[in-house]
Amino acid sequence: MANSDNSKKKENKIYRGAYKYMRNTNIYCEETFEVFKDKGDSSMLFQSHIMSRVATGELLNISVDFKVNKDYIPTLVVINKVLGNNNVVETFSFNSKNNTINYSFESASETEKLVLNTTPKFSISTPAVCTSMLHLRSKKFDSTGKNIYNVLSSSNQWSYESEPSFNTITIRRMNQASETKTIDGSNVQGVDYKIEYKEESDEYDKDAPNLRCFVSQYVTIPYFLEDGKGTKIEVKYFNNLSERELD
């Protein structure tokens, strides 16, 4: 039975890729990801693995499972963090019938569970880059080139400190049409966006804290993000498996 399940999972794999996280020219973290699509209900599962070495020399491992329905609303998100003897699992489970999210925080020493109310359209923030722009598909982009999204974020690290809360972000489309950019010698097509972490911003403010993100045409998987201050996350490789076989 396990072999059958694995074969089915491989058959449903549509994308795979990796990112390198850079501060100036130094690579400090890497992320690999795979995306699976259920042909029955058009839901998708993004599975990411992030690996980084912290200041103490220990290895930080983070795995993220991010499942969205056909409307790109997250239905189940699981974040598992491991650092030395510390192991924390955060789970977000969306109930569309009553618009609530069941949240749990689990470690070796504590377990916290609570229910959060939400609007029907929202997103969830995780450490994974590959899912960071999925909310773009959850609603039609405004004709002004600006959309506002509700994003649920948790600030809990290795112990439970507070319940996750919703933050409002503004995303601006910097160009109407797709552009071609060169990344590591390869030409890729995507759309340039600016992410602003403030509630209302009718006027464009070039000095406001923001991230620039170049987003692919493949279910909004980013090619790169940068903060303009020396930190950049850039795609290392990206394969569209629905068009070609694995190497």
Side-chain angles (χ1 to χ4, degrees), residues 73-241:
I73 304 299
T75 56
L76 181 63
V77 176
V78 181
I79 305 169
N80 188 359
K81 296 181 288 189
V82 179
L83 178 64
N85 294 324
N86 293 315
N87 187 355
V88 165
V89 179
E90 288 183 283
T91 303
F92 304 79
S93 180
F94 176 52
N95 185 334
S96 59
K97 293 181 180 179
N98 57 13
N99 288 330
T100 59
I101 297 171
N102 291 301
Y103 169 78
S104 68
F105 178 96
E106 297 178 84
S107 69
S109 59
E110 60 181 329
T111 298
E112 294 287 341
K113 294 185 178 182
L114 51 93
V115 179
L116 305 167
N117 293 316
T118 181
T119 57
K121 293 187 177 182
F122 66 96
S123 189
I124 295 175
S125 175
T126 79
V129 171
C130 67
T131 60
S132 61
M133 299 297 283
L134 275 172
H135 43 273
L136 288 176
R137 290 288 187 97
S138 66
K139 62 180 179 180
K140 191 174 180 181
F141 221 84
D142 192 90
S143 59
T144 62
K146 179 193 77 171
N147 263 13
I148 294 174
Y149 299 90
N150 289 322
V151 180
L152 182 62
S153 302
S154 168
S155 60
N156 298 316
Q157 296 300 322
W158 303 108
S159 61
Y160 180 85
E161 303 291 342
S162 60
E163 71 176 50
S165 59
F166 280 97
N167 298 300
T168 304
I169 64 171
T170 298
I171 296 185
R172 296 182 185 276
R173 187 172 53 206
M174 304 309 290
N175 299 93
Q176 291 298 319
S178 62
E179 304 173 79
T180 300
K181 291 183 185 285
T182 303
I183 300 177
D184 272 354
S186 298
N187 292 331
V188 295
Q189 275 202 323
V191 180
D192 200 10
Y193 292 92
K194 179 167 281 192
I195 308 165
E196 302 172 2
Y197 293 89
K198 54 183 183 178
E199 191 162 331
E200 288 293 341
S201 49
D202 289 328
E203 297 299 324
Y204 172 60
D205 181 359
K206 65 180 179 64
D207 297 320
N210 64 78
L211 294 172
R212 290 296 287 267
C213 186
F214 192 59
V215 178
S216 77
Q217 60 184 313
Y218 306 106
V219 295
T220 71
I221 295 172
Y223 283 124
F224 70 78
L225 289 91
E226 58 184 342
D227 65 358
K229 298 177 182 177
T231 299
K232 184 175 183 178
I233 303 171
E234 184 177 276
V235 72
K236 189 176 177 182
Y237 66 84
F238 182 34
N239 300 139
N240 178 4
L241 306 179

Side-chain angles (χ1 to χ4, degrees), residues 30-60:
E30 291 198 348
E31 173 184 340
T32 57
F33 68 87
E34 295 179 324
V35 184
F36 305 87
K37 185 169 185 177
D38 188 317
K39 296 175 183 177
D41 60 8
S42 295
S43 64
M44 283 186 290
L45 173 64
F46 292 71
Q47 291 188 320
S48 305
H49 180 234
I50 302 152
M51 189 166 58
S52 178
R53 198 166 292 280
V54 299
T56 60
E58 292 178 294
L59 202 60
L60 171 64

